[in-house]
Amino acid sequence: MSKTTRRTFDAAFKLQVVKMIREQGLSVGQVCRDMNLVDSAVRRWVAQYDEEQAGGSGIGRPLTPEQQRIRQLEAELRQAKSDNELLKKVSAFFARELK
């Protein structure tokens, strides 16, 4: 019994595969056969891309650079809000100590 290793693909590769399907009109099956990919994975990438193009965030790691940037900015915003809440609590604590 041979053990196969799980392959990983970066966002640029996934985006290239999806564009072959969406822009060049190739079928999912044909692209999978030509590139030795699994049908279900490619269909997930296509669904992710379609969701991102519709303005949603999709599921999983973003494919388009715009969605990657949006996710990064959302993470930075969450961190800034968390830091701000902490600063409010600390300033309230020290304000009580000064009275």
Side-chain angles (χ1 to χ4, degrees), residues 12-47:
F13 177 79
K14 293 176 185 179
L15 188 58
Q16 177 187 4
V17 170
V18 170
K19 286 188 175 187
M20 289 172 63
I21 294 166
R22 288 291 182 232
E23 294 174 4
Q24 296 177 13
L26 300 174
S27 71
V28 173
Q30 183 63 43
V31 170
C32 290
R33 282 189 297 278
D34 292 346
M35 301 186 82
N36 192 27
L37 298 170
V38 178
D39 185 73
S40 61
V42 174
R43 290 189 188 281
R44 247 189 344 266
W45 300 344
V46 171

Side-chain angles (χ1 to χ4, degrees), residues 30-80:
Q30 183 63 43
V31 170
C32 290
R33 282 189 297 278
D34 292 346
M35 301 186 82
N36 192 27
L37 298 170
V38 178
D39 185 73
S40 61
V42 174
R43 290 189 188 281
R44 247 189 344 266
W45 300 344
V46 171
Q48 173 77 23
Y49 178 78
D50 291 344
E51 179 70 24
E52 289 176 10
Q53 292 303 106
S57 62
I59 301 169
R61 292 193 173 131
L63 296 178
T64 61
E66 295 84 13
Q67 282 297 321
Q68 291 172 357
R69 182 68 178 145
I70 288 170
R71 293 241 182 125
Q72 177 188 7
L73 291 172
E74 287 173 343
E76 289 175 10
L77 179 60
R78 277 192 303 277
Q79 182 64 43

